[in-house]
Amino acid sequence: MTKTMVLIGTRKGLWTATSEDDRQTWTLRGPDLGLNEVAACAIDTRGSSTRLFAGASSSHWGPAMSYSDDLGASWTEPDPAPISFPQETDAALARVWQVTPGPSDRPDLVWAGTEPSALWRSEDRGVSFTLNQGLWDHPHRKEWQPGGGGQALHTILPHPDDSRRMLVAMSTGGVYRTTDDGESWNPANKGIQGSFLPADEFPEYGQCVHKVARHPERPDQLFAQNHGGVYRSDDEGDSWSSIADGLPADFGFNAVVHPHAPGTVYVIPLVADMDRFPPDARIRVYRTRDAGQSWEELAKGLPDDPFYATVMRDGMCADDSATTGIYFGTRSGSVFASADEGESWSEIVSHLPDVLCVRAGRVG
Amino acid sequence: MAVLIRIPGALRQFTDNARTLEVDLPDGGDVAQLLARVGADNPSLLRRICDERGDLHQHVNMFIGTANVRDCEGLATLVPDGVEVYVLPAVSGG
């Protein structure tokens, strides 16, 4: 029987919510991975069996990358450590920020993004990773600075049709692209404002891009939620234009593209970087169906009471059902779900530790 | 010389529940050499104690007898013959 699973990474462990009735009711299980902070998780349904990934970090025992081949019943951390900085870098892994399965025709290819900002490639489905040297050696590296959450490479977008092209984003640093399979990288931030910078507000790089999303059927079109500013690019990052008109605020952390509808994107606005609360203290999702020309508020089922919790950059996701489900987890330990593309919502989980990431998908 | 290392409960899953490890170390050896010996046999345990640069994790302490290596010479602290070594997680967190 096909089930829908939501992985919920929190400040203190990983939970799974599972539905066997097309997302009407949910069963919660956890915590897994003990008191580990789980900042990244992924559901990889490629190949013959589902593999779950978790980038976990213990405040005592350090970071780790684990996987599960039994839907979370048990977790394996390979030996040697899957992600380990080479000695010559004089760096140490602080946190796994992103795990991105590769294309369906290459089920063993997995990408990871870390703190310090680095891109990693696995050819054995996440058992071992190799550092992308081109990005690591980038001359801009010394000028990338950690945001409030740390120096994170948090977004990995392989091109769906060209394996030599990829886009990554980091906070801070901004958007970078490669067109030669990661040998070289160039900033792709033209038009994205760095409003927190003291002088040059449209620098070549150094922006604090919080999340970038794109639809595989429209790979040149990108959507970015910036540290102030919501943007669209129609030329794979050559240039960006604001699409914030129609939103109550342009600050936030999330950008999720509808898996079946290019041009449909979800964001969760916050007032401002120095006022990180939902506008009017009401948690609301905003959706565009025309690539940012207009936005609609999605509120049905969401709390009307004052709500002051925020949603972290990987705290919102979509599932791959025919009628797409949208999910977001809050720093107040709730997970809200919509089984109808955002039209209506219900709180499926409450009272967890603060949620850092969610991922959803159908599993066998 | 044989050095006895006392393992905290949280790390005994990596020592088959053993409370202590006995590690051979040349006379005059230091903490870095001791950890290298630990890692050679047990890389899973080592990476819970220190990162890939060899630095102790922030909230992990090592004591040579009663001396915290952070208050001595760090990983260059010598390990005298006959002294027990303790791996102790900091009482921290929330």
Side-chain angles (χ1 to χ4, degrees):
Chain A
M1 173 190 294
T2 299
K3 301 178 285 190
T4 304
M5 171 175 276
V6 184
L7 291 182
I8 307 164
T10 81
R11 190 75 70 189
K12 293 182 180 179
L14 179 81
W15 276 260
T16 57
T18 306
S19 174
E20 297 183 351
D21 56 3
D22 195 22
R23 302 164 292 176
Q24 298 307 301
T25 61
W26 296 87
T27 302
L28 185 68
R29 190 182 63 77
D32 294 329
L33 303 172
L35 285 176
N36 285 279
E37 170 196 287
V38 179
C41 60
I43 301 174
D44 182 2
T45 57
R46 303 168 301 161
S48 57
S49 64
T50 297
R51 175 166 285 188
L52 311 180
F53 292 101
S57 184
S58 162
S59 58
H60 282 94
W61 314 117
M65 177 82 155
S66 301
Y67 67 83
S68 172
D69 288 337
D70 52 15
L71 300 181
S74 63
W75 291 86
T76 300
E77 186 191 347
D79 251 333
I83 296 177
S84 180
F85 279 90
Q87 187 173 12
E88 62 270 19
T89 64
D90 193 31
L93 177 66
R95 182 178 284 108
V96 177
W97 273 95
Q98 192 75 184
V99 182
T100 303
S104 57
D105 62 344
R106 298 194 58 189
D108 289 335
L109 179 60
V110 180
W111 301 93
T114 63
E115 173 187 354
S117 278
L119 176 68
W120 301 78
R121 176 188 182 114
S122 172
E123 300 279 359
D124 55 10
R125 213 182 182 194
V127 175
S128 63
F129 286 81
T130 302
L131 176 68
N132 179 279
Q133 203 67 44
L135 188 63
W136 182 259
D137 292 336
H138 201 286
H140 294 171
R141 167 170 295 283
K142 61 183 182 299
E143 297 181 57
W144 300 337
Q145 297 294 324
Q151 178 62 55
L153 192 151
H154 52 66
T155 296
I156 303 168
L157 295 176
H159 194 286
D161 306 321
D162 184 348
S163 63
R164 297 176 62 79
R165 304 176 78 90
M166 176 179 283
L167 179 147
V168 299
M170 61 189 98
S171 302
T172 68
V175 177
Y176 281 74
R177 286 184 312 186
T178 180
T179 58
D180 56 9
D181 203 18
E183 289 290 320
S184 63
W185 296 82
N186 291 300
N189 302 289
K190 186 178 180 182
I192 298 181
Q193 190 171 19
S195 56
F196 54 89
L197 297 170
D200 184 0
E201 292 194 338
F202 290 91
E204 181 186 16
Y205 60 93
Q207 285 85 344
C208 189
V209 175
H210 286 173
K211 205 66 194 175
V212 185
R214 76 169 152 199
H215 194 284
E217 292 176 13
R218 202 180 284 176
D220 287 345
Q221 188 169 78
L222 302 165
F223 300 92
Q225 172 65 67
N226 193 50
H227 183 109
V230 181
Y231 296 92
R232 188 185 77 219
S233 171
D234 293 321
D235 48 21
E236 207 192 356
D238 284 341
S239 62
W240 298 83
S241 302
S242 175
I243 54 170
D245 283 352
L247 290 169
D250 67 0
F251 191 84
F253 288 95
N254 314 104
V256 170
V257 67
H258 190 300
H260 309 312
T264 296
V265 180
Y266 301 82
V267 298
I268 299 178
L270 303 175
V271 175
D273 57 351
M274 295 299 166
D275 194 3
R276 299 185 185 194
F277 300 114
D280 301 321
R282 301 284 185 276
I283 186 75
R284 296 291 184 260
V285 177
Y286 279 74
R287 177 178 62 192
T288 177
R289 290 171 146 167
D290 51 16
Q293 295 182 62
S294 63
W295 295 90
E296 58 185 320
E297 181 188 84
L298 305 175
K300 185 179 179 183
L302 294 177
D304 286 325
D305 296 334
F307 198 99
Y308 295 101
T310 56
V311 180
M312 305 296 272
R313 72 180 81 244
D314 281 299
M316 184 163 67
C317 70
D319 70 24
D320 53 352
S321 297
T323 302
T324 294
I326 309 292
Y327 307 82
F328 69 89
T330 71
R331 295 197 71 178
S332 54
S334 294
V335 176
F336 294 88
S338 167
D340 54 10
E341 307 188 345
E343 293 296 328
S344 62
W345 299 85
S346 61
E347 187 176 15
I348 64 169
V349 180
S350 308
H351 309 310
L352 296 183
D354 33 349
V355 176
L356 306 180
C357 58
V358 295
R359 289 293 183 270
R362 288 176 300 165
V363 297
Chain B
M1 62 181 177
V3 177
L4 190 74
I5 305 176
R6 294 202 175 272
I7 304 298
L11 293 184
R12 289 177 197 157
Q13 61 181 301
F14 305 108
T15 63
D16 292 329
N17 288 320
R19 293 170 175 267
T20 60
L21 290 179
E22 194 169 278
V23 177
D24 284 327
L25 188 68
D27 290 345
D30 60 18
V31 174
Q33 291 173 290
L34 183 69
L35 289 173
R37 296 290 175 102
V38 170
D41 292 334
N42 197 331
S44 295
L45 175 62
L46 179 66
R47 68 176 187 255
R48 268 73 184 186
I49 299 173
C50 56
D51 65 28
E52 56 263 57
R53 289 179 301 201
D55 295 336
L56 293 177
H57 290 310
Q58 182 182 5
H59 297 290
V60 173
N61 298 300
M62 288 191 70
F63 282 77
I64 309 300
T66 59
N68 188 336
V69 301
R70 296 185 198 277
D71 300 328
C72 302
E73 302 298 323
L75 299 183
T77 304
L78 297 179
V79 182
D81 190 12
V83 173
E84 291 187 355
V85 174
Y86 298 83
V87 178
L88 288 179
V91 181
S92 61

